[in-house]
Amino acid sequence: MSFSIYIYGFAIALFIFYCGNLLLHLLGITYGKIKLHKKPCLLPRESPLPSVSILKPLMGVDPNLSQNLETFFTMQYPSYELLFCIEDKEDPAVVVVQHLMDKYPKIVANLYLGGSDVGVNPKINNMNPAYENAKYELVMISDSGIRMKEDTLLDMVQHMKEGIGLVHQMPFTCDREGFAATFEKIYFGTYQSRMYLTADLFGAICHTGMSSLIRREVLDNVGGLKEFGRYLAEDFFLAKAVTEAGWKSTISSQPAWQNSGVCDVTNFQLRLTRWAKLRVAMVPHLIILEPLSECMVLGCLASWAVNVLFQWDALPFYLVHILVWFLSDWIMLSVVQNGPLPFNKFNFVVGWLFREFTGPYLFLNALFNPAIRWRERTFKLYWGGVAYELKQRIKS
């Protein structure tokens, strides 16, 4: 008798958890419709817009680098400086940056070579010299693969209202051809967007550092950018520092348009695995919650639960669950895209199924292989997110 009570209790808990995940779908879609793709206000202001220092860490050249960087030179914003950061003086990205600086001499831009050694995080090491020479009160950190619209910076700054210390963009991708590009867009427009939007709605930390704007005083009060060099997931701890200092964070209405010229499934799955390792190290309870939130896993558990609680047939429930989840993700992606998708419904079905079936595998792979490979370096994480390098970089 007591064993049956435990079974029923577990089934009730699973059913409540399942309903909560469906609610997250609804909240993500609704909040995305309200929050995203709002035109920035161009009305006259009582005070001038604050100037912005934009840090651009670069390494290597991909086919889209030049056109991505050029969008930073053509933004419609009254006052900003571009600070390009390149660790290796022989990096071919140096030539690309210098060409653009010559092409747009009216835009204030500087190139910082050599980086620094303030921790294990290569990105922080690369950016720190530029940060220490940044002139303005607002600092933007923007990865090399980001493409900007003319009003993107204006949109982000206008979200930097009183009490806000960090404005970041929800990750998404530009329209590109091929299955890998479809896979990336589906991931960022469904699973990632749902998590990002609901976290922002409830004020939780869900910050990726690929495109973010922060008040410099927040960083300076904790010792500067170099204080985050001990972490690989510097974006999470940067957002945490903002929260602990009493500031709020928010996402802007425009997503971050990733436009890398190198797009293949294997490399993207390696990124997903690396991110999973970082999440688990920083928020250990995700070891249980994250795989249980996957469509196929959650559907199996919920089907068993409703069979125990309501004597419903498990298989029809499971199939209806997949259909509802699939349609919710299609709506979510359409909201984030805010326009026609660059692929047809068949390609969406294939990409969606591939994402849903490989998601749990990638997460388990992250758990059983905790070492993190980042470019030519390998790192190990302590619980809490502090990292150390396992093997020194081999210099040619």
Side-chain angles (χ1 to χ4, degrees):
M1 183 66 180
S2 60
F3 182 73
S4 297
I5 293 176
Y6 287 129
I7 292 293
Y8 269 83
F10 184 57
I12 290 172
L14 282 177
F15 184 69
I16 293 174
F17 182 70
Y18 175 72
C19 292
N21 273 270
L22 292 183
L23 180 60
L24 291 181
H25 275 273
L26 179 61
L27 290 175
I29 292 169
T30 304
Y31 187 62
K33 195 68 176 176
I34 296 171
K35 179 74 174 181
L36 299 178
H37 305 293
K38 305 300 180 185
K39 287 292 184 181
C41 179
L42 300 177
L43 295 176
R45 295 167 51 92
E46 295 180 1
S47 57
L49 289 165
S51 299
V52 181
S53 296
I54 302 175
L55 307 183
K56 291 290 297 182
L58 306 176
M59 176 180 285
V61 174
D62 71 45
N64 292 344
L65 180 65
S66 180
Q67 60 178 282
N68 289 337
L69 295 184
E70 189 166 11
T71 63
F72 285 82
F73 287 87
T74 58
M75 293 186 299
Q76 298 300 308
Y77 194 81
S79 178
Y80 65 94
E81 62 174 350
L82 294 172
L83 308 178
F84 295 100
C85 318
I86 303 177
E87 186 177 10
D88 187 353
K89 298 178 181 179
E90 302 300 321
D91 194 310
V94 173
V95 176
V96 175
V97 171
Q98 290 177 334
H99 171 74
L100 290 171
M101 290 170 63
D102 293 338
K103 185 177 179 180
Y104 298 94
K106 294 184 179 180
I107 302 298
V108 178
N110 291 289
L111 179 59
Y112 292 86
L113 302 175
S116 61
D117 186 9
V118 295
V120 298
N121 188 310
K123 182 177 176 180
I124 296 294
N125 287 338
N126 196 7
M127 292 190 298
N128 191 61
Y131 173 80
E132 292 183 344
N133 287 279
K135 298 187 295 185
Y136 298 131
E137 60 194 271
L138 295 181
V139 175
M140 181 181 183
I141 297 174
S142 177
D143 286 356
S144 61
I146 298 297
R147 183 181 182 88
M148 301 286 273
K149 295 182 179 180
E150 290 186 348
D151 59 353
T152 300
L153 183 57
L154 176 62
D155 176 65
M156 296 181 73
V157 171
Q158 289 188 344
H159 279 80
M160 188 67 80
K161 299 177 181 178
E162 185 176 354
I164 301 295
L166 173 68
V167 176
H168 50 113
Q169 292 186 280
M170 186 179 74
F172 197 46
T173 61
C174 291
D175 295 347
R176 294 168 295 172
E177 296 182 353
F179 177 74
T182 299
F183 176 44
E184 286 192 23
K185 186 175 282 286
I186 289 172
Y187 171 81
F188 284 112
T190 58
Y191 178 86
Q192 179 80 1
S193 293
R194 181 168 65 251
M195 177 175 63
Y196 223 86
L197 288 166
T198 53
D200 188 68
L201 176 62
F202 292 109
I205 296 177
C206 187
H207 167 235
T208 61
M210 62 182 63
S211 183
S212 56
L213 186 71
I214 187 169
R215 295 184 188 271
R216 178 163 185 157
E217 65 178 282
V218 177
L219 291 175
D220 288 344
N221 286 340
V222 296
L225 194 63
K226 64 180 181 293
E227 289 300 310
F228 301 93
R230 75 189 78 172
Y231 308 111
L232 287 184
E234 80 291 336
D235 44 10
F236 174 85
F237 291 98
L238 192 151
K240 184 179 179 182
V242 170
T243 301
E244 291 175 347
W247 297 88
K248 296 179 181 180
S249 63
T250 187
I251 61 173
S252 63
S253 65
Q254 293 187 20
W257 296 99
Q258 300 175 82
N259 189 40
S260 173
V262 178
C263 186
D264 65 79
V265 173
T266 300
N267 282 331
F268 184 58
Q269 288 185 317
L270 290 174
R271 289 175 68 192
L272 296 181
T273 303
R274 183 174 74 244
W275 293 340
K277 294 175 184 180
L278 293 171
R279 290 196 300 272
V280 168
M282 296 178 297
V283 191
H285 64 262
L286 291 179
I287 293 176
I288 297 176
L289 292 180
E290 188 161 328
L292 292 183
S293 300
E294 291 284 355
C295 173
M296 302 304 172
V297 177
L298 181 59
C300 288
L301 295 174
S303 299
W304 172 83
V306 298
N307 179 261
V308 171
L309 296 174
F310 312 117
Q311 288 74 54
W312 294 351
D313 288 340
L315 181 58
F317 181 88
Y318 185 64
L319 295 176
V320 171
H321 153 78
I322 292 177
L323 178 62
V324 171
W325 200 285
F326 171 84
L327 293 176
S328 298
D329 277 350
W330 172 264
I331 296 171
M332 181 83 264
L333 178 58
S334 299
V335 169
V336 179
Q337 176 77 5
N338 194 38
L341 291 167
F343 45 80
N344 58 37
K345 292 181 176 62
F346 176 77
N347 288 334
F348 176 77
V349 171
V350 174
W352 184 85
L353 288 172
F354 184 76
R355 210 299 309 169
E356 295 302 331
F357 279 110
T358 59
Y361 164 75
L362 294 176
F363 186 81
L364 290 175
N365 184 49
L367 291 182
F368 292 107
N369 182 22
I372 292 180
R373 182 76 176 174
W374 190 354
R375 296 186 184 270
E376 71 270 27
R377 300 180 182 184
T378 304
F379 301 89
K380 176 73 174 180
L381 284 175
Y382 290 108
W383 290 112
V386 177
Y388 65 93
E389 192 169 355
L390 287 177
K391 183 179 180 181
Q392 293 295 324
R393 181 176 47 173
I394 299 175
K395 297 182 178 180
S396 56

